[in-house]
Amino acid sequence: MTIIIAMCLYAFTMSITPGPTNIITMTIGVNYGFKKALPFVLGSVLGFTSLLLVMGFGLGKVAAENELFLQILNYSGAFFICYMGYKIARAHPKVNVEKSSLPGFMQGAILQWFNPKSWIATLAGIGAFKLVGKVDQFALFVVLYIIIGFLCVLTWAYGGSKIAKLIRNDHNLRLFNQIMGIGLIGVAVYLLSLQIH
């Protein structure tokens, strides 16, 4: 029973803490409402699950030991996060923004493959719980992570939709988008700085 509690705590802390996915989810909630954030949330959960499955079935060890692969991942991840931050910072503050500018299912799924936090969560979780070759425990970990991760990211969408009530005019909404976008770009710059040092 303690392994289940440990897995739940791990999935919760990795899923609820701020990161690119949660910042984008909250921003969608603020700008478009809770329901419009659901495709992005579902995409991010399925994208993360696919990453977790690929890493759990042996590629995680290969990826963790390949220095060039990890560097390419960090650079491409930082650039993708920076791009998403730019899109958010430049988002039009009207609720009737065109649907094409709304991050959706595919952006949520793709983000997980470029998000260093997702890679850290998968590789560290698989390693910490010694899940390689243990199909039953790995399956349990995946199921728990899907449920907990979905609920945590959904919480950010819901929180964003509630914050929207505090931001009632275009000026405040534009300012919020700029702060969130700059915050994401800051995360990307920080990730790039880790590569330089």
Side-chain angles (χ1 to χ4, degrees):
M1 188 65 160
T2 54
I3 189 76
I4 294 174
I5 293 170
M7 286 179 175
C8 287
L9 286 172
Y10 180 80
F12 178 76
T13 55
M14 292 305 287
S15 300
I16 199 71
T17 52
T21 300
N22 291 337
I23 292 171
I24 293 169
T25 301
M26 181 178 67
T27 304
I28 296 170
V30 167
N31 285 277
Y32 303 99
F34 179 73
K35 288 182 183 176
K36 295 280 188 181
L38 292 179
F40 183 83
V41 171
L42 289 172
S44 66
V45 170
L46 289 177
F48 181 83
T49 302
S50 66
L51 177 64
L52 183 59
L53 290 171
V54 168
M55 294 301 107
F57 286 117
L59 290 179
K61 186 176 182 185
V62 174
E65 293 172 353
N66 187 325
E67 182 83 22
L68 178 61
F69 174 79
L70 292 175
Q71 284 184 339
I72 291 170
L73 171 69
N74 284 334
Y75 283 116
S76 59
F79 284 116
F80 188 75
I81 291 166
C82 191
Y83 169 75
M84 294 297 285
Y86 171 77
K87 294 284 281 179
I88 287 171
R90 302 267 306 147
H92 197 280
K94 296 281 187 194
V95 177
N96 63 353
V97 177
E98 290 181 22
K99 212 172 183 182
S100 61
S101 66
L102 172 66
F105 181 87
M106 286 305 295
Q107 287 88 354
I110 292 168
L111 175 62
Q112 303 319 300
W113 286 83
F114 287 99
N115 184 354
K117 183 182 175 190
S118 296
W119 282 82
I120 291 166
T122 56
L123 294 174
I126 290 166
F129 293 106
K130 298 178 175 66
L131 298 173
V132 176
K134 298 178 181 175
V135 178
D136 291 346
Q137 283 192 344
F138 180 64
L140 174 65
F141 185 67
V142 170
V143 169
L144 290 171
Y145 219 120
I146 290 171
I147 295 167
I148 293 167
F150 176 73
L151 293 173
C152 288
V153 179
L154 207 60
T155 301
W156 282 83
Y158 181 75
S161 69
K162 294 303 173 190
I163 290 171
K165 293 178 181 177
L166 301 174
I167 305 169
R168 296 190 188 273
N169 62 50
D170 288 353
H171 178 296
N172 290 345
L173 188 54
R174 184 184 304 270
L175 182 62
F176 175 82
N177 288 343
Q178 290 170 347
I179 291 169
M180 292 297 103
I182 290 168
L184 269 179
I185 293 168
V187 168
V189 169
Y190 173 73
L191 292 171
L192 286 173
S193 75
L194 293 176
Q195 290 301 306
I196 295 168
H197 291 86

